[in-house]
Amino acid sequence: MPYVCVKDAEGYVTKKLRSEVAKDEKIISEKAYLKASGLAAYEKEFGHGGARKNAGRKPKYSQPLRIQMRVTKEEKDFISYARARGLVLANLMKV
């Protein structure tokens, strides 16, 4: 059944069967129907009549957080020394 776009006397637009169109309603084009109903703006804003592109939940951070610790010069030197010699802190703490 072919549907047509109609505009009534008050300016409201709808799609109806051609056989259901009343005498006071005017048949309009599809383009005019989309503009008057607001669907044209929706199509333009959201693309294909759905949610916008890439909508949905996203991870808060793209990379893991870097943990920074403020240490003194001596502590930094000790950490460098321990790493260079392969010291295991757990073994040192047992002593």
Side-chain angles (χ1 to χ4, degrees):
M1 300 298 278
Y3 284 92
V4 292
C5 304
V6 295
K7 186 174 192 177
D8 64 5
E10 295 177 357
Y12 292 105
V13 292
T14 57
K15 281 190 175 183
K16 291 185 174 182
L17 292 172
R18 187 173 288 274
S19 60
E20 296 177 352
V21 177
K23 291 182 181 181
D24 63 334
E25 295 176 328
K26 178 182 171 187
I27 296 176
I28 58 174
S29 68
E30 182 78 21
K31 187 175 180 181
Y33 167 75
L34 290 173
K35 186 175 180 181
S37 66
L39 293 174
Y42 185 77
E43 289 287 329
K44 184 187 293 183
E45 183 178 347
F46 295 116
H48 301 289
R52 68 183 194 283
K53 186 177 178 184
N54 292 329
R57 297 179 71 93
K58 305 213 175 15
K60 191 168 183 178
Y61 303 105
S62 60
Q63 296 177 352
L65 296 174
R66 289 181 48 203
I67 297 174
Q68 296 180 351
M69 220 167 59
R70 296 182 185 264
V71 294
T72 63
K73 173 82 170 109
E74 290 115 11
E75 291 169 334
K76 185 176 179 182
D77 291 340
F78 175 75
I79 292 170
S80 299
Y81 174 84
R83 285 183 179 158
R85 288 168 177 66
L87 294 176
V88 179
L89 186 61
N91 293 343
L92 291 175
M93 292 178 70
K94 288 180 184 176
V95 174

Coordinates of all heavy atoms in Angstrom, one line a residue:
M1 N 0.8 -1.2 0.0 CA 0.0 0.0 0.0 C 0.9 1.2 0.0 O 1.8 1.4 0.9 CB -0.9 0.0 1.2 CG -1.8 -1.2 1.4 SD -3.0 -1.3 0.1 CE -4.3 -0.2 0.6
P2 N 0.7 2.2 -0.9 CA 1.5 3.4 -1.0 C 1.1 4.4 0.1 O -0.1 4.8 0.2 CB 1.2 3.9 -2.4 CG -0.1 3.4 -2.7 CD -0.3 2.1 -2.0
Y3 N 2.1 4.8 0.8 CA 1.9 5.8 1.8 C 2.2 7.2 1.2 O 3.1 7.3 0.4 CB 2.7 5.6 3.1 CG 2.2 4.5 4.0 CD1 2.7 3.2 3.8 CD2 1.3 4.8 4.9 CE1 2.2 2.2 4.6 CE2 0.8 3.8 5.8 CZ 1.3 2.5 5.6 OH 0.8 1.5 6.4
V4 N 1.5 8.2 1.6 CA 1.8 9.6 1.2 C 1.9 10.4 2.4 O 1.4 10.2 3.5 CB 0.7 10.1 0.3 CG1 0.7 9.4 -1.1 CG2 -0.7 10.1 0.9
C5 N 2.7 11.5 2.2 CA 2.9 12.5 3.3 C 1.8 13.6 3.2 O 1.6 14.1 2.1 CB 4.2 13.1 3.2 SG 5.6 11.9 3.3
V6 N 1.1 13.8 4.3 CA 0.0 14.8 4.2 C 0.2 15.9 5.3 O 0.8 15.6 6.4 CB -1.4 14.2 4.4 CG1 -1.7 13.3 3.2 CG2 -1.5 13.4 5.7
K7 N -0.3 17.1 5.0 CA -0.2 18.2 6.0 C -1.7 18.6 6.2 O -2.4 18.9 5.2 CB 0.6 19.3 5.4 CG 0.8 20.5 6.3 CD 1.8 21.4 5.7 CE 2.3 22.5 6.7 NZ 3.3 23.4 6.1
D8 N -2.1 18.7 7.5 CA -3.5 19.1 7.7 C -3.6 20.6 7.8 O -2.6 21.4 7.7 CB -4.1 18.4 8.9 CG -3.4 18.8 10.2 OD1 -2.5 19.6 10.2 OD2 -3.7 18.2 11.3
A9 N -4.8 21.1 8.1 CA -5.1 22.5 8.2 C -4.3 23.2 9.3 O -4.0 24.4 9.2 CB -6.6 22.8 8.3
E10 N -4.0 22.5 10.3 CA -3.3 23.1 11.5 C -1.8 23.1 11.3 O -1.0 23.6 12.1 CB -3.7 22.4 12.8 CG -5.1 22.6 13.1 CD -5.5 21.8 14.4 OE1 -4.6 21.1 14.9 OE2 -6.6 21.9 14.8
G11 N -1.3 22.4 10.2 CA 0.2 22.3 10.0 C 0.8 21.1 10.4 O 2.0 20.9 10.3
Y12 N 0.1 20.1 11.0 CA 0.7 18.9 11.4 C 0.9 18.0 10.2 O 0.1 17.9 9.3 CB -0.2 18.2 12.4 CG -0.3 18.9 13.7 CD1 -1.4 19.6 14.1 CD2 0.7 18.9 14.6 CE1 -1.5 20.3 15.3 CE2 0.7 19.5 15.9 CZ -0.5 20.2 16.2 OH -0.5 20.9 17.3
V13 N 2.0 17.2 10.2 CA 2.3 16.3 9.1 C 2.3 14.9 9.6 O 2.7 14.6 10.7 CB 3.7 16.7 8.5 CG1 3.7 18.0 7.8 CG2 4.8 16.6 9.5
T14 N 1.8 14.0 8.7 CA 1.7 12.6 9.0 C 1.9 11.8 7.7 O 1.8 12.4 6.6 CB 0.4 12.2 9.7 OG1 -0.7 12.6 8.8 CG2 0.2 12.8 11.0
K15 N 2.1 10.5 7.9 CA 2.0 9.6 6.7 C 0.8 8.8 6.8 O 0.5 8.2 7.8 CB 3.3 8.7 6.7 CG 4.5 9.3 6.3 CD 5.6 8.3 6.1 CE 6.8 8.9 5.5 NZ 7.9 8.0 5.2
K16 N 0.1 8.7 5.7 CA -1.2 8.0 5.6 C -1.3 7.2 4.3 O -0.6 7.5 3.4 CB -2.4 9.0 5.7 CG -2.6 9.6 7.0 CD -3.9 10.5 6.9 CE -4.2 11.1 8.3 NZ -5.4 11.8 8.2
L17 N -2.2 6.3 4.3 CA -2.5 5.6 3.0 C -3.2 6.6 2.1 O -3.9 7.5 2.6 CB -3.4 4.4 3.3 CG -2.8 3.2 4.0 CD1 -3.9 2.2 4.3 CD2 -1.7 2.6 3.2
R18 N -3.0 6.5 0.8 CA -3.6 7.5 -0.1 C -5.1 7.4 0.0 O -5.8 8.5 -0.1 CB -3.2 7.1 -1.5 CG -3.6 8.1 -2.6 CD -3.0 7.9 -3.9 NE -1.6 8.1 -4.0 CZ -1.1 9.3 -4.3 NH1 -1.9 10.4 -4.4 NH2 0.2 9.5 -4.4
S19 N -5.7 6.3 0.3 CA -7.2 6.2 0.4 C -7.7 6.9 1.7 O -8.9 7.2 1.8 CB -7.6 4.7 0.4 OG -7.0 4.0 1.5
E20 N -6.9 7.1 2.7 CA -7.3 7.7 4.0 C -7.2 9.3 4.0 O -7.5 9.9 5.0 CB -6.5 7.1 5.1 CG -6.8 5.7 5.3 CD -5.9 5.1 6.5 OE1 -5.0 5.8 7.0 OE2 -6.1 3.9 6.8
V21 N -6.7 9.9 2.9 CA -6.4 11.3 2.9 C -7.8 12.0 2.9 O -8.6 11.7 2.0 CB -5.6 11.7 1.7 CG1 -5.4 13.2 1.7 CG2 -4.2 11.0 1.8
A22 N -8.0 13.0 3.8 CA -9.2 13.7 3.9 C -9.1 14.9 2.9 O -8.1 15.3 2.4 CB -9.4 14.3 5.3
K23 N -10.3 15.6 2.7 CA -10.3 16.7 1.7 C -9.6 17.9 2.2 O -9.0 18.6 1.4 CB -11.8 17.0 1.4 CG -12.5 16.0 0.7 CD -14.0 16.4 0.4 CE -14.7 15.3 -0.4 NZ -16.0 15.7 -0.7
D24 N -9.5 18.1 3.5 CA -8.8 19.3 4.0 C -7.3 19.1 4.2 O -6.6 20.0 4.6 CB -9.5 19.7 5.3 CG -9.3 18.7 6.4 OD1 -9.2 17.5 6.1 OD2 -9.3 19.1 7.6
E25 N -6.8 17.9 3.9 CA -5.4 17.6 4.0 C -4.7 17.8 2.6 O -5.3 17.5 1.6 CB -5.2 16.2 4.5 CG -5.7 16.1 5.9 CD -5.5 14.6 6.4 OE1 -5.6 13.7 5.6 OE2 -5.3 14.5 7.7
K26 N -3.5 18.3 2.7 CA -2.7 18.5 1.4 C -1.6 17.5 1.4 O -0.8 17.3 2.3 CB -2.2 19.9 1.5 CG -1.3 20.3 0.3 CD -0.8 21.7 0.5 CE 0.2 22.1 -0.6 NZ 0.9 23.3 -0.3
I27 N -1.4 16.9 0.2 CA -0.3 15.9 0.0 C 1.0 16.7 -0.3 O 1.0 17.7 -1.1 CB -0.6 15.0 -1.2 CG1 -1.8 14.1 -0.9 CG2 0.6 14.1 -1.5 CD1 -2.2 13.2 -2.0
I28 N 2.0 16.4 0.5 CA 3.3 17.1 0.4 C 4.4 16.1 0.0 O 4.2 14.9 0.1 CB 3.7 17.9 1.7 CG1 3.8 16.9 2.9 CG2 2.7 19.0 2.0 CD1 4.3 17.5 4.1
S29 N 5.6 16.6 -0.4 CA 6.7 15.7 -0.8 C 7.3 15.1 0.5 O 7.1 15.6 1.6 CB 7.7 16.5 -1.5 OG 8.3 17.5 -0.7
E30 N 8.1 14.1 0.3 CA 8.8 13.4 1.3 C 9.8 14.4 2.0 O 10.0 14.4 3.2 CB 9.6 12.2 0.8 CG 10.3 11.4 1.8 CD 9.4 10.5 2.7 OE1 8.3 10.2 2.2 OE2 9.8 10.1 3.8
K31 N 10.5 15.2 1.2 CA 11.4 16.2 1.7 C 10.8 17.2 2.6 O 11.2 17.5 3.7 CB 12.1 16.9 0.5 CG 13.3 17.8 0.9 CD 14.0 18.3 -0.3 CE 15.1 19.2 0.1 NZ 15.8 19.7 -1.1
A32 N 9.6 17.7 2.2 CA 8.9 18.7 3.0 C 8.4 18.0 4.3 O 8.3 18.7 5.3 CB 7.7 19.2 2.2
Y33 N 8.0 16.8 4.2 CA 7.5 16.0 5.4 C 8.7 15.9 6.4 O 8.5 16.2 7.6 CB 7.0 14.6 5.0 CG 6.8 13.7 6.2 CD1 5.8 13.8 7.0 CD2 7.8 12.7 6.4 CE1 5.6 13.0 8.1 CE2 7.6 11.8 7.5 CZ 6.5 12.0 8.3 OH 6.4 11.2 9.4
L34 N 9.9 15.5 5.9 CA 11.0 15.4 6.8 C 11.4 16.7 7.5 O 11.7 16.8 8.7 CB 12.2 14.8 6.1 CG 12.1 13.4 5.6 CD1 13.3 13.0 4.8 CD2 12.0 12.5 6.8
K35 N 11.3 17.8 6.7 CA 11.6 19.1 7.3 C 10.6 19.6 8.3 O 10.9 20.0 9.4 CB 11.8 20.1 6.2 CG 12.2 21.5 6.6 CD 12.5 22.4 5.4 CE 13.0 23.7 6.0 NZ 13.2 24.7 4.9
A36 N 9.3 19.4 8.0 CA 8.3 19.9 8.9 C 8.2 19.0 10.1 O 7.8 19.5 11.2 CB 6.9 19.8 8.1
S37 N 8.5 17.7 10.0 CA 8.4 16.9 11.2 C 9.6 16.9 12.1 O 9.6 16.5 13.2 CB 8.1 15.4 10.8 OG 9.3 14.9 10.1
G38 N 10.7 17.5 11.6 CA 11.9 17.6 12.4 C 12.8 16.4 12.2 O 13.9 16.3 12.8
L39 N 12.4 15.4 11.4 CA 13.2 14.2 11.2 C 14.4 14.5 10.3 O 15.4 13.8 10.5 CB 12.4 13.1 10.5 CG 11.2 12.5 11.4 CD1 10.4 11.6 10.6 CD2 11.8 11.8 12.6
A40 N 14.4 15.5 9.5 CA 15.6 15.9 8.7 C 16.7 16.3 9.6 O 17.9 15.9 9.4 CB 15.2 17.0 7.7
A41 N 16.4 17.1 10.6 CA 17.5 17.6 11.5 C 18.0 16.4 12.3 O 19.2 16.3 12.5 CB 16.9 18.6 12.5
Y42 N 17.2 15.4 12.7 CA 17.6 14.3 13.4 C 18.5 13.4 12.5 O 19.6 13.0 13.0 CB 16.4 13.4 13.8 CG 16.8 12.3 14.7 CD1 17.1 12.4 16.0 CD2 16.8 11.0 14.2 CE1 17.4 11.3 16.8 CE2 17.1 9.9 15.0 CZ 17.4 10.1 16.3 OH 17.8 9.0 17.1
E43 N 18.2 13.3 11.3 CA 19.0 12.5 10.3 C 20.4 13.2 10.1 O 21.4 12.5 10.1 CB 18.3 12.4 9.0 CG 17.1 11.4 9.0 CD 17.5 10.0 9.1 OE1 18.6 9.6 8.6 OE2 16.8 9.2 9.7
K44 N 20.3 14.5 10.0 CA 21.6 15.2 9.8 C 22.5 15.1 11.0 O 23.7 14.9 10.9 CB 21.3 16.7 9.5 CG 22.5 17.5 9.2 CD 22.2 19.0 9.1 CE 21.3 19.3 7.9 NZ 21.1 20.8 7.8
E45 N 21.9 15.3 12.2 CA 22.7 15.3 13.4 C 23.3 13.9 13.7 O 24.4 13.7 14.1 CB 21.9 15.8 14.6 CG 22.7 15.9 15.9 CD 21.8 16.4 17.0 OE1 20.8 17.0 16.8 OE2 22.3 16.3 18.1
F46 N 22.5 12.9 13.6 CA 22.9 11.5 14.1 C 23.2 10.6 12.9 O 23.5 9.4 13.2 CB 21.8 10.9 14.9 CG 21.6 11.7 16.2 CD1 20.4 12.3 16.5 CD2 22.6 11.8 17.1 CE1 20.2 13.0 17.6 CE2 22.4 12.4 18.3 CZ 21.2 13.1 18.6
G47 N 23.2 11.0 11.7 CA 23.6 10.1 10.6 C 22.5 9.3 10.1 O 21.6 9.8 9.4
H48 N 22.4 8.0 10.5 CA 21.5 7.1 9.9 C 20.2 6.9 10.8 O 19.7 5.8 10.8 CB 22.2 5.8 9.7 CG 23.3 5.9 8.7 ND1 23.2 6.2 7.4 CD2 24.7 5.8 9.0 CE1 24.4 6.2 6.8 NE2 25.3 6.1 7.8
G49 N 19.8 7.9 11.5 CA 18.6 7.8 12.3 C 18.8 7.0 13.6 O 17.8 6.6 14.2
G50 N 20.0 6.8 14.0 CA 20.2 6.1 15.3 C 21.1 7.0 16.2 O 21.2 8.2 16.1
A51 N 21.8 6.3 17.1 CA 22.6 7.1 18.0 C 23.8 7.6 17.2 O 24.2 7.1 16.2 CB 23.1 6.2 19.2
R52 N 24.5 8.6 17.8 CA 25.6 9.1 17.0 C 26.8 8.2 17.0 O 26.8 7.2 17.7 CB 26.1 10.4 17.7 CG 26.7 10.3 19.0 CD 27.0 11.6 19.7 NE 27.9 11.4 20.8 CZ 27.5 11.0 22.0 NH1 26.2 10.8 22.2 NH2 28.3 10.8 22.9
K53 N 27.7 8.4 16.1 CA 28.8 7.5 15.8 C 29.7 7.4 17.1 O 29.9 8.4 17.7 CB 29.6 8.0 14.6 CG 30.7 7.1 14.2 CD 31.4 7.7 13.0 CE 32.6 6.8 12.6 NZ 33.3 7.4 11.5
N54 N 30.1 6.2 17.4 CA 31.0 5.9 18.5 C 30.3 6.1 19.9 O 31.0 6.4 20.8 CB 32.3 6.6 18.4 CG 33.2 6.2 17.3 OD1 33.1 5.0 16.9 ND2 33.9 7.0 16.7
A55 N 29.0 6.1 19.9 CA 28.3 6.3 21.2 C 28.5 5.1 22.0 O 28.6 4.0 21.5 CB 26.8 6.6 20.9
G56 N 28.6 5.2 23.3 CA 28.7 4.1 24.2 C 29.7 4.3 25.3 O 30.4 5.4 25.3
R57 N 29.9 3.4 26.2 CA 30.8 3.5 27.3 C 32.2 3.4 26.7 O 32.5 2.5 25.9 CB 30.5 2.5 28.3 CG 29.2 2.6 28.9 CD 28.9 1.6 30.0 NE 29.7 1.8 31.1 CZ 29.3 2.4 32.2 NH1 28.1 3.0 32.2 NH2 30.1 2.6 33.3
K58 N 33.1 4.2 27.3 CA 34.5 4.2 26.9 C 35.3 4.1 28.1 O 34.9 4.5 29.2 CB 34.8 5.5 26.1 CG 33.9 5.7 24.9 CD 34.6 6.4 23.8 CE 33.8 6.5 22.6 NZ 32.4 6.3 22.7
P59 N 36.5 3.5 28.0 CA 37.4 3.5 29.2 C 37.8 4.9 29.6 O 37.9 5.8 28.7 CB 38.6 2.7 28.7 CG 38.6 2.8 27.2 CD 37.2 2.9 26.8
K60 N 37.9 5.1 30.9 CA 38.2 6.5 31.4 C 39.6 6.9 31.0 O 39.8 8.1 30.6 CB 38.1 6.5 32.9 CG 38.1 7.8 33.5 CD 37.7 7.8 34.9 CE 37.6 9.2 35.5 NZ 37.2 9.3 36.8
Y61 N 40.5 6.0 30.9 CA 41.9 6.4 30.6 C 42.3 5.5 29.4 O 42.1 4.3 29.5 CB 42.9 6.2 31.7 CG 42.4 7.1 32.9 CD1 41.9 6.5 34.1 CD2 42.6 8.5 32.9 CE1 41.5 7.3 35.1 CE2 42.2 9.2 34.0 CZ 41.7 8.6 35.1 OH 41.3 9.4 36.2
S62 N 43.0 6.0 28.4 CA 43.4 5.2 27.3 C 44.7 4.4 27.7 O 44.9 3.3 27.2 CB 43.7 6.1 26.1 OG 44.7 7.0 26.4
Q63 N 45.5 4.9 28.6 CA 46.7 4.2 29.1 C 46.6 4.1 30.6 O 46.0 5.0 31.3 CB 47.9 5.0 28.7 CG 48.1 5.1 27.2 CD 49.3 6.0 26.9 OE1 49.9 6.6 27.8 NE2 49.7 6.0 25.7
P64 N 47.2 3.1 31.2 CA 47.2 3.0 32.7 C 47.9 4.3 33.3 O 48.8 4.9 32.7 CB 48.0 1.8 33.0 CG 48.3 1.1 31.7 CD 47.9 2.0 30.6
L65 N 47.5 4.6 34.5 CA 48.1 5.7 35.2 C 49.6 5.4 35.5 O 50.0 4.3 35.8 CB 47.4 6.0 36.5 CG 45.9 6.4 36.3 CD1 45.3 6.5 37.7 CD2 45.8 7.7 35.6
R66 N 50.4 6.5 35.4 CA 51.8 6.4 35.8 C 51.8 6.8 37.3 O 51.3 7.9 37.7 CB 52.6 7.4 35.0 CG 52.8 6.9 33.6 CD 53.7 7.8 32.8 NE 54.9 8.2 33.5 CZ 55.6 9.2 33.3 NH1 55.3 10.1 32.4 NH2 56.7 9.5 34.0
I67 N 52.4 6.0 38.1 CA 52.5 6.3 39.5 C 53.8 7.0 39.8 O 54.9 6.5 39.4 CB 52.4 5.1 40.4 CG1 51.1 4.4 40.2 CG2 52.7 5.4 41.9 CD1 50.9 3.1 40.9
Q68 N 53.8 8.2 40.3 CA 55.0 9.0 40.6 C 55.1 9.1 42.1 O 54.2 9.3 42.9 CB 54.9 10.4 40.0 CG 54.8 10.4 38.5 CD 54.7 11.8 37.9 OE1 54.5 12.7 38.7 NE2 54.8 11.9 36.6
M69 N 56.4 8.9 42.6 CA 56.7 9.0 44.0 C 57.8 10.0 44.1 O 58.8 10.0 43.4 CB 57.1 7.7 44.5 CG 56.6 7.3 45.8 SD 56.8 5.6 46.3 CE 58.6 5.4 46.2
R70 N 57.6 10.9 45.0 CA 58.7 11.9 45.3 C 59.6 11.3 46.3 O 59.2 10.9 47.4 CB 58.1 13.2 45.8 CG 57.2 13.9 44.8 CD 56.7 15.2 45.3 NE 55.8 15.8 44.3 CZ 56.1 16.7 43.4 NH1 57.3 17.1 43.3 NH2 55.2 17.2 42.6
V71 N 60.9 11.3 45.9 CA 61.9 10.7 46.8 C 63.1 11.7 46.9 O 63.3 12.6 46.0 CB 62.4 9.4 46.3 CG1 61.3 8.3 46.4 CG2 63.0 9.4 44.9
T72 N 63.9 11.5 47.9 CA 65.1 12.4 48.1 C 66.2 11.9 47.1 O 66.1 10.8 46.6 CB 65.6 12.4 49.5 OG1 66.0 11.0 49.8 CG2 64.5 12.8 50.5
K73 N 67.2 12.6 47.0 CA 68.4 12.2 46.1 C 69.0 11.0 46.6 O 69.3 10.1 45.9 CB 69.4 13.4 46.1 CG 70.7 13.1 45.4 CD 70.5 13.3 43.9 CE 71.9 13.2 43.3 NZ 72.1 12.1 42.5
E74 N 69.2 10.8 48.0 CA 69.8 9.6 48.5 C 68.9 8.3 48.3 O 69.4 7.3 47.9 CB 70.0 9.7 50.0 CG 71.1 10.7 50.4 CD 70.5 11.9 51.2 OE1 69.3 11.8 51.6 OE2 71.2 12.9 51.3
E75 N 67.6 8.5 48.4 CA 66.7 7.4 48.1 C 66.7 7.0 46.7 O 66.7 5.8 46.3 CB 65.2 7.8 48.5 CG 65.0 7.9 50.0 CD 63.7 8.5 50.4 OE1 63.2 9.3 49.6 OE2 63.2 8.2 51.5
K76 N 66.8 8.0 45.8 CA 66.9 7.7 44.4 C 68.2 7.0 44.0 O 68.2 6.0 43.3 CB 66.8 9.0 43.6 CG 66.7 8.8 42.1 CD 66.6 10.1 41.4 CE 66.5 9.9 39.9 NZ 66.4 11.1 39.1
D77 N 69.3 7.4 44.6 CA 70.6 6.7 44.4 C 70.5 5.3 44.9 O 71.1 4.4 44.3 CB 71.7 7.5 45.1 CG 72.0 8.8 44.4 OD1 71.6 9.0 43.3 OD2 72.5 9.7 45.1
F78 N 69.9 5.1 46.1 CA 69.8 3.7 46.6 C 69.0 2.8 45.7 O 69.3 1.7 45.4 CB 69.2 3.7 48.0 CG 69.0 2.3 48.6 CD1 70.0 1.6 49.0 CD2 67.7 1.8 48.6 CE1 69.8 0.3 49.5 CE2 67.5 0.5 49.1 CZ 68.6 -0.3 49.5
I79 N 67.9 3.3 45.2 CA 67.0 2.5 44.3 C 67.8 2.2 43.0 O 67.8 1.0 42.6 CB 65.7 3.3 43.9 CG1 64.8 3.4 45.2 CG2 65.0 2.6 42.8 CD1 63.7 4.4 45.1
S80 N 68.5 3.1 42.5 CA 69.4 2.9 41.3 C 70.4 1.8 41.6 O 70.7 0.9 40.8 CB 70.0 4.1 40.8 OG 69.0 5.1 40.4
Y81 N 71.1 1.9 42.8 CA 72.1 1.0 43.2 C 71.5 -0.4 43.3 O 72.1 -1.4 42.8 CB 72.7 1.5 44.5 CG 73.7 0.5 45.1 CD1 75.0 0.5 44.7 CD2 73.3 -0.4 46.1 CE1 75.9 -0.4 45.3 CE2 74.2 -1.3 46.7 CZ 75.5 -1.2 46.3 OH 76.4 -2.1 46.8
A82 N 70.3 -0.5 44.0 CA 69.7 -1.8 44.2 C 69.3 -2.5 42.9 O 69.5 -3.7 42.7 CB 68.5 -1.7 45.1
R83 N 68.7 -1.7 41.9 CA 68.3 -2.2 40.6 C 69.5 -2.7 39.8 O 69.5 -3.7 39.2 CB 67.6 -1.1 39.9 CG 66.2 -0.9 40.4 CD 65.5 0.1 39.5 NE 64.1 0.3 40.0 CZ 63.4 1.4 39.7 NH1 63.9 2.3 39.0 NH2 62.2 1.5 40.2
A84 N 70.6 -1.9 39.9 CA 71.8 -2.3 39.1 C 72.4 -3.6 39.6 O 73.0 -4.4 38.8 CB 72.8 -1.2 39.2
R85 N 72.3 -3.9 40.9 CA 72.9 -5.1 41.5 C 71.9 -6.2 41.7 O 72.3 -7.3 42.2 CB 73.6 -4.7 42.8 CG 74.8 -3.9 42.4 CD 75.5 -3.3 43.5 NE 76.7 -2.6 43.2 CZ 76.8 -1.5 42.4 NH1 75.7 -1.0 41.8 NH2 77.9 -0.8 42.2
G86 N 70.7 -6.0 41.3 CA 69.7 -7.1 41.4 C 69.3 -7.4 42.8 O 68.9 -8.6 43.1
L87 N 69.3 -6.5 43.7 CA 68.9 -6.7 45.1 C 67.4 -6.9 45.2 O 66.7 -6.2 44.5 CB 69.3 -5.6 46.0 CG 70.8 -5.4 46.2 CD1 71.1 -4.1 47.0 CD2 71.5 -6.6 46.8
V88 N 67.0 -7.9 46.0 CA 65.6 -8.2 46.2 C 65.2 -7.6 47.5 O 65.8 -8.0 48.6 CB 65.3 -9.7 46.1 CG1 63.8 -9.9 46.4 CG2 65.7 -10.2 44.8
L89 N 64.3 -6.6 47.6 CA 64.0 -5.9 48.8 C 63.4 -6.9 49.8 O 63.6 -6.7 51.0 CB 63.0 -4.8 48.5 CG 62.6 -3.9 49.6 CD1 63.9 -3.2 50.1 CD2 61.6 -2.9 49.2
A90 N 62.6 -7.9 49.4 CA 62.0 -8.8 50.3 C 63.1 -9.6 51.1 O 62.9 -9.8 52.3 CB 61.1 -9.8 49.5
N91 N 64.1 -9.9 50.4 CA 65.2 -10.7 51.1 C 65.9 -9.7 52.1 O 66.3 -10.2 53.2 CB 66.3 -11.2 50.1 CG 65.7 -12.3 49.2 OD1 64.6 -12.9 49.6 ND2 66.3 -12.6 48.1
L92 N 66.1 -8.5 51.8 CA 66.8 -7.5 52.7 C 65.9 -7.3 53.9 O 66.4 -7.1 55.0 CB 67.0 -6.2 52.0 CG 68.1 -6.2 50.9 CD1 68.2 -4.9 50.2 CD2 69.5 -6.6 51.5
M93 N 64.6 -7.3 53.7 CA 63.7 -7.0 54.9 C 63.7 -8.2 55.8 O 63.3 -8.0 57.0 CB 62.3 -6.7 54.4 CG 62.3 -5.3 53.6 SD 60.7 -4.9 53.0 CE 59.8 -4.6 54.4
K94 N 64.0 -9.4 55.4 CA 64.0 -10.5 56.3 C 65.1 -10.5 57.3 O 65.0 -11.0 58.4 CB 64.1 -11.8 55.5 CG 62.9 -12.2 54.8 CD 63.1 -13.5 54.0 CE 61.9 -13.8 53.1 NZ 62.1 -15.0 52.3
V95 N 66.2 -9.8 57.0 CA 67.4 -9.7 57.8 C 67.1 -8.8 59.0 O 66.4 -8.0 59.2 CB 68.6 -9.2 57.0 CG1 69.8 -9.0 57.9 CG2 68.9 -10.1 55.9

